[in-house]
Amino acid sequence: MKNKEIAKILFELSELYEMKNVPFKPRALERASETIDSLTEDVIDIYKEGGIKALENIPGVGRGIAERIEEYLKAGRIKEYENMKKKFPVDIAGLSSIEGVGPKLINLLYTRLKIRTVLDLEKAAEAGKLKGLPRMGAKLEAKILKGIEFKHEGGGRFALGEVLPMAREIKTRLLKVRGVETVEVAGSIRRRPETIGDLDFLAISEHPAAAAEFFARMPEVSHVYGHGETKVLVRLKSGIDADLIILPKKSFGAALQYFTGSKDHNVEVRKLAIKKGWSLNEHGLTRGKKMIASETEKEIYEKLGMDFIEPEMRTNRGEIEAALAHNLPKLIGYGDLRGDLQVQTSWTDGKNSIEEMAREAEKFGHEYIAITDHTKFLAMTGGSDKKKLLRQMAEIDKIQKKFRKLKILKGAEVNIMRDGSLDIDDETLAKLDVVGAAVHSLFNLSQEEQTARIIKAMENPNVDILFHPTGRVINKRKPYEVDMEAIIKAAKRTGTILEIDGHPWRLDLKDEHIRMAREGGVKMVIDTDAHSVSEMSYLEYGIAQARRGWCEKKDIINTLPLKEFLKALK
Ligand code: DGT
Ligand code: CA
Ligand code: CA
Ligand code: ZN
């Protein structure tokens, strides 16, 4: 799939034109970049099926952009981009990902200080060199340093949602290579944490050389670090590293267990082997020279006296003890949800209509979907006031008639104000089926004030769900200060449901809070926070998050049929 690469080039092109103060072009390129980035369909397939005409049918893609995409698909490059890049050899995407850095500044940084990378920028900021630039004060310099620091804390790691589709795509292609019998993506990807350092592929093949050759020559590879007979290490154009290890079938389980990690989990498992006088490594579980188990992970865990531990739980936070005592939770499954509960539409800042979102929900086999557009305090999204909400409710009644099985629930994502009140009156809220409340302002309040404000909102009998309870955005914004223990207690007392927001940039609640909520007897929902039909596939990230928080089916109320689900709300 080339979508990500194309989206990145279009984005950089838009910034390059913006630096030159070219009108209109930058916006058009940026819009096209965003759409292509969120397409579920592969641009290559679209092109193969319908040529340049089909490309032009992608929303936001006009003739000019379609031609550029065609050029990239045919020649593997876009001449215009390469020429501009030659004159301006700067890591634009990297620099723009820092809070406070835009195209104008990137231009200034390069022409005045020859800054090309985030590292160059960091050095210059630390040396106090930025202050001397026009329109650049100490305050902006400090903001940039803070932005860089926050990025470092993420360690340059990629969000799971950025790399999982790519990993799956590579796996599919590897499976077609001659002699390849099995491929697994091991490492962190298999455990589904929020961010990923690099990709670890394992394959069984009778012709390791063919698989290795294929992997090293994949079109998305930008650099080959090493290419042996059974091991290949590469960097991909998207900036992430990937390894492939090719193994014989008989040791695949041991290798999969070893390379799935986490390292902390493995260390503890190996200790159990050592206690028995055995040894465990990527080749197998052995007693002296005798092989005890190696072909499947399950055998290895069983021989060590444990139940099989799902990859999402392998963090060494109690799962080994639970597996030895045979009381691991039976985790919620990836097919267990019956509906999506946070969905924005073109009534506010979503890209698709209510009907389009509902059709997509049908495709997923959902029984219900809640339409939860923003409300008026979020003015920039066109948030609904009372009148608009009432109009939308009437519209939903109309659209509902076109659907036989799917129930379209009327909802809203209301804003929690400073004093814990909401931006829509209770009488109107009472008419909705589902009300989610969220903090979208005043992220810097003290923990005491923030917590009190949220609890006040939870006490409102119309508030069913607390949306994205900590407000963090992965690699971009820290969570606000909030006492999660107090929130969980309040959820229990008031019967408020906590959301596990599956949007890959949010994943909020996070795993440890999910576990706390579950142990506190609080129910949760998993939803997508989708702003377009393509984002409705994000449920799987929410489910992974719930599994990492040890959730069973009964902990998540949108596993229930519609009637019971509605009863579980306030
Ligand atoms: P990442 O890539 O940072 O998101 O995280 P991982 O877990 O994929 O880490 P990575 O790619 O360095 O290594 C893949 C797996 O290999 C890791 O989860 C566990 C295993 N592994 C790597 N190094 C060691 C080690 O020194 N000891 C043990 N027991 N396992 C290791
Ligand atoms: Ca890895
Ligand atoms: Ca690795
Ligand atoms: Zn929104």
Side-chain angles (χ1 to χ4, degrees):
M1 186 137 162
K2 294 253 182 359
N3 297 15
K4 292 265 176 239
E5 291 161 34
I6 293 170
K8 187 175 166 212
I9 293 179
L10 294 177
F11 171 74
E12 291 216 342
L13 261 179
S14 103
E15 302 258 298
L16 283 162
Y17 279 114
E18 181 141 2
M19 284 173 204
K20 295 185 158 188
N21 279 320
V22 175
F24 309 120
K25 250 188 189 176
R27 280 289 141 269
L29 284 160
E30 193 186 343
R31 222 176 310 129
S33 160
E34 279 173 8
T35 330
I36 287 172
D37 194 43
S38 66
L39 278 183
T40 41
E41 231 185 311
D42 193 332
V43 172
I44 302 172
D45 294 337
I46 297 176
Y47 182 67
K48 269 191 200 146
E49 270 166 39
I52 193 153
K53 275 267 162 313
L55 293 177
E56 278 181 72
N57 284 337
I58 301 171
V61 176
R63 185 75 194 186
I65 291 175
E67 279 170 0
R68 291 181 179 98
I69 298 174
E70 180 178 49
E71 185 187 349
Y72 188 77
L73 294 178
K74 280 188 173 161
R77 52 147 185 69
I78 298 173
K79 212 71 240 187
E80 166 199 28
Y81 171 73
E82 298 214 324
N83 289 341
M84 289 178 87
K85 210 55 195 185
K86 239 179 249 158
K87 287 188 214 129
F88 199 81
V90 171
D91 175 14
I92 299 171
L95 286 168
S96 332
S97 72
I98 309 281
E99 227 2 64
V101 181
K104 298 266 151 42
L105 184 57
I106 294 176
N107 191 19
L108 200 63
L109 291 170
Y110 180 65
T111 45
R112 292 287 187 93
L113 299 171
K114 289 278 161 274
I115 289 172
R116 297 161 70 140
T117 63
V118 176
L119 191 65
D120 295 344
L121 177 62
E122 185 174 16
K123 281 188 196 148
E126 276 168 354
K129 282 188 190 158
L130 302 185
K131 283 197 241 12
L133 295 174
R135 289 189 304 280
M136 180 89 185
K139 209 169 155 193
L140 190 51
E141 185 172 83
K143 184 174 174 190
I144 288 172
L145 272 173
K146 224 175 125 194
I148 293 173
E149 188 193 332
F150 192 62
K151 206 173 146 92
H152 280 325
E153 281 169 23
R157 296 174 66 83
F158 288 70
L160 176 65
E162 292 179 283
V163 292
L164 183 59
M166 188 171 26
R168 282 189 174 138
E169 226 257 327
I170 292 176
K171 173 178 167 170
T172 309
R173 277 162 30 216
L174 260 174
L175 276 168
K176 291 183 193 145
V177 175
R178 186 170 59 97
V180 173
E181 200 177 300
T182 306
V183 177
E184 284 292 346
V185 195
S188 48
I189 284 249
R190 187 158 175 251
R191 306 193 311 272
R192 302 283 195 272
E194 299 154 0
T195 64
I196 303 294
D198 72 358
L199 306 177
D200 307 277
F201 291 89
L202 298 182
I204 301 177
S205 175
E206 284 169 27
H207 303 283
E213 185 76 14
F214 172 86
F215 194 76
R217 287 173 182 243
M218 292 187 298
E220 53 266 77
V221 169
S222 64
H223 180 73
V224 180
Y225 298 109
H227 182 166
E229 235 167 80
T230 57
K231 193 168 177 180
V232 186
L233 309 172
V234 300
R235 161 150 296 205
L236 304 180
K237 285 178 186 159
S238 51
I240 197 167
D241 291 343
D243 336 331
L244 169 67
I245 300 174
I246 305 150
L247 307 141
K249 188 170 183 169
K250 63 179 191 327
S251 62
F252 194 70
L256 186 57
Q257 199 283 326
Y258 180 90
F259 289 108
T260 296
S262 71
K263 223 173 269 180
D264 293 346
H265 172 90
N266 286 355
V267 167
E268 289 308 307
V269 173
R270 187 169 328 113
K271 276 188 200 157
L272 292 175
I274 291 166
K275 236 197 237 163
K276 290 183 186 282
W278 303 348
S279 78
L280 175 65
N281 58 30
E282 66 267 44
H283 306 294
L285 178 64
T286 50
R287 180 175 59 227
K289 286 203 173 118
K290 191 175 158 26
M291 184 62 76
I292 298 172
S294 66
E295 204 166 324
T296 68
E297 285 187 318
K298 195 157 176 277
E299 284 172 79
I300 294 169
Y301 283 108
E302 277 173 3
K303 294 284 186 210
L304 291 170
M306 282 180 274
D307 291 338
F308 177 78
I309 301 174
E310 298 284 357
E312 293 91 333
M313 297 182 80
R314 299 183 196 171
T315 53
N316 189 30
R317 282 184 291 182
E319 77 280 6
I320 292 172
E321 293 79 352
L324 285 167
H326 306 294
N327 61 9
L328 283 168
K330 185 177 175 331
L331 298 185
I332 178 174
Y334 282 95
D336 281 345
L337 294 180
R338 292 175 189 253
D340 198 344
L341 298 170
Q342 195 197 150
V343 165
Q344 276 76 218
T345 72
S346 46
W347 280 68
T348 57
D349 62 346
K351 290 203 177 88
N352 293 96
S353 66
I354 297 173
E355 186 168 346
E356 285 167 335
M357 293 307 258
R359 288 281 168 228
E360 189 72 11
E362 244 180 358
K363 277 191 214 158
F364 277 97
H366 292 338
E367 278 175 36
Y368 45 89
I369 180 179
I371 303 297
T372 57
D373 275 300
H374 293 288
T375 51
K376 67 182 182 194
F377 175 78
L378 276 191
M380 76 249 188
T381 68
S384 306
D385 56 9
K386 173 181 177 165
K387 260 167 82 186
K388 189 168 168 184
L389 257 180
L390 292 173
R391 261 198 295 128
Q392 191 183 41
M393 288 183 221
E395 175 77 9
I396 289 176
D397 284 332
K398 262 196 233 156
I399 296 173
Q400 179 67 65
K401 296 203 177 91
K402 302 187 192 176
F403 290 82
R404 293 189 43 213
K405 286 199 184 132
L406 181 81
K407 173 72 181 175
I408 308 171
L409 297 169
K410 297 164 188 164
E413 177 177 9
V414 298
N415 296 292
I416 301 176
M417 309 312 286
R418 182 173 196 136
D419 62 359
S421 66
L422 305 170
D423 64 343
I424 297 288
D425 64 277
D426 284 326
E427 191 197 340
T428 310
L429 292 182
K431 296 193 171 109
L432 294 167
D433 300 309
V434 189
V435 174
V439 166
H440 286 122
S441 62
L442 301 167
F443 298 131
N444 292 325
L445 295 183
S446 69
Q447 190 187 70
E448 226 182 335
E449 258 187 291
Q450 195 67 272
T451 307
R453 166 195 194 201
I454 296 172
I455 290 178
K456 176 89 193 303
M458 294 166 82
E459 282 165 351
N460 183 318
N462 293 307
V463 171
D464 298 301
I465 308 173
L466 176 64
F467 279 165
H468 43 74
T470 75
R472 63 103 173 246
V473 179
I474 291 170
N475 285 352
K476 289 231 170 75
R477 190 170 76 208
K478 289 190 178 160
Y480 35 74
E481 298 283 338
V482 59
D483 178 350
M484 279 310 296
E485 261 175 62
I487 297 286
I488 287 166
K489 272 197 195 130
K492 178 79 186 159
R493 172 169 61 81
T494 59
T496 310
I497 308 292
L498 298 182
E499 181 189 46
I500 299 173
D501 188 313
H503 200 289
W505 295 110
R506 286 201 180 266
L507 296 175
D508 185 3
L509 297 171
K510 62 178 182 175
D511 54 351
E512 62 207 68
H513 293 146
I514 295 172
R515 259 177 96 172
M516 272 167 59
R518 183 178 123 77
E519 279 157 20
V522 167
K523 299 293 179 201
M524 289 163 272
V525 293
I526 300 171
D527 56 39
T528 60
D529 202 346
H531 284 65
S532 66
V533 287
S534 67
E535 293 184 352
M536 288 182 73
S537 63
Y538 290 163
L539 272 189
E540 96 168 274
Y541 298 108
I543 298 168
Q545 188 81 350
R547 286 166 64 90
R548 293 196 306 110
W550 293 35
C551 279
E552 302 193 346
K553 199 173 163 180
K554 64 173 169 43
D555 298 313
I556 306 293
I557 64 165
N558 53 330
T559 58
L560 295 169
L562 178 64
K563 265 195 193 151
E564 290 167 50
F565 164 74
L566 289 173
K567 257 189 249 157
L569 301 175
K570 283 184 200 164

